Amino acid sequence: MHVGVDSFVSTVTDPTTGHVIGAAERMEHLLEEISLADQVGLYSFGIGEHHRCEYYDSAPPVILAAAAARTERIRLGSAVTVLSAADPVRVFQQFATLDLISKGRIDLVVGRGSFTEAFPLFGLDLADYDSLFSEKLELLLQIRDNTEVTWSGRHRPPMVRQNVYPRPLQDPLPIWVGVGGTPQSFVRAGLLGLPLMIAIIGGEPRQFAPMVDLYRRAGAEAGHAPEKLQVGLHVFGFVGESTKAAADTIYPGWEEMFTKVSRERGFPPPTRARFDATAGENGAFFMGDPQTVADKIRRVSEQLGGVDRLSLQMTNPRLAHADLLRGIELLGTEVAPLVASV
């Protein structure tokens, strides 16, 4: 299994000093985190896309270009690109250019996003949530597979024998579909023969097993080879020197993040008991010392019938930069080797 890191580039308040990290300094820290991930042998680093005041990742291709110039081996990608609110032509051009800069180290993960701010921001109707994504994914795949494109749809002006440049170094450019919990999304990815990135933010990972089976069956029935039907996981987590140290380090930021989300969505406020349950043996949070995290990765992979890639999302608004760097180091030097053969 390949192991990597995803980041939402959250705003950060230093938990010891109370110093609010400025945007420029946060970007400097982020590039240091990506460089370290490259140095310690992690497979990938993904950047999310949000249009909210608590995140600095509204322009992932710009961040990824800077990261590509500072790294040598690690794969770089989106986590996820909100394709519903973007022009597929521009998305392809940006990531094809990134692929050239990085010498073939780019993965494009597309999805609909877990927040809705992008829809009004770009003048889109939330009622078109699914049709926007379906149509734009269709066009993106046509552009990937053909330099000259003829296409028409509801949400974008038609294209008639138009060429899209540049072409990426990788042929084809890897396009993953990011999904949450709807069966239709799993089936769509399977029918298209696209690799699947599952965002697990709650519940128990093993609950996704029936939908992973659904994805693989849909892909097989559509005639796609098993090796094309890759499964990746995007999960929250953190690696510390001990499980208690990891929990104590990230709980304050977890409480802050989920307090805000709970208020917005009408959920009960977060508690330490809920945190401990989420981080427990069967919970969605992959947290603890290296052996504990590795054991959970192996167990979840077995429950889902095999996982090709896992990305640990360590975004936390109360996590000191030094602690995050140490978490990345432990993930690369201790956890990844333990699960390499899974």
Side-chain angles (χ1 to χ4, degrees), residues 301-339:
S301 180
E302 291 175 2
Q303 292 169 346
L304 300 184
V307 171
D308 300 280
R309 185 184 298 192
L310 183 137
S311 296
L312 210 61
Q313 208 282 88
M314 297 192 191
T315 295
N316 189 298
R318 294 277 173 178
L319 182 60
H321 179 51
D323 290 334
L324 180 51
L325 290 177
R326 181 56 176 157
I328 291 171
E329 182 181 8
L330 290 171
L331 184 65
T333 60
E334 299 195 29
V335 176
L338 291 173
V339 300

Side-chain angles (χ1 to χ4, degrees), residues 14-36:
D14 188 285
T16 302
T17 66
H19 169 62
V20 178
I21 307 300
E25 185 179 7
R26 180 69 186 92
M27 284 296 178
E28 181 182 348
H29 286 176
L30 173 67
L31 292 173
E32 186 178 348
E33 294 155 15
I34 299 172
S35 294
L36 178 62

Side-chain angles (χ1 to χ4, degrees), residues 22 60 154 216 219 272:
R154 282 182 53 207
R216 289 178 172 136
R272 183 59 189 253

Side-chain angles (χ1 to χ4, degrees), residues 94-113:
Q94 289 166 347
F95 280 85
T97 303
L98 281 169
D99 201 53
L100 297 174
I101 293 171
S102 68
K103 298 181 174 61
R105 293 187 283 125
I106 292 296
D107 292 304
L108 173 54
V109 185
V110 298
R112 293 175 289 189

Side-chain angles (χ1 to χ4, degrees), residues 10 33 62 69 74 103 114 129 134 151 167 223 235 275 319 324:
S10 67
E33 294 155 15
V62 179
I74 196 167
K103 298 181 174 61
S114 59
Y129 183 78
S134 298
W151 174 92
R167 307 309 296 180
V235 299
F275 171 83
L319 182 60
L324 180 51

Side-chain angles (χ1 to χ4, degrees), residues 243-252 254-255 269-279 287:
T243 296
K244 183 179 186 304
D248 291 344
T249 298
I250 61 170
Y251 175 72
W254 179 90
E255 182 185 36
T271 64
R272 183 59 189 253
R274 177 183 162 195
F275 171 83
D276 290 339
T278 302
M287 186 209 71

Side-chain angles (χ1 to χ4, degrees), residues 16 41 52-53 60 83 115 153 157-159 164 175 192 210 212 222-223 249 257 269 277 284 300 314 320 322 328-329:
T16 302
R52 300 167 61 90
C53 63
L83 185 61
F115 294 99
M159 300 178 67
V164 180
I175 296 177
L192 293 171
V212 172
T249 298
M257 281 193 301
V300 170
M314 297 192 191
I328 291 171
E329 182 181 8

Side-chain angles (χ1 to χ4, degrees), residues 165-184:
Y165 299 107
R167 307 309 296 180
L169 184 62
Q170 297 179 92
D171 184 18
L173 180 72
I175 296 177
W176 294 62
V177 177
V179 299
T182 60
Q184 295 89 342

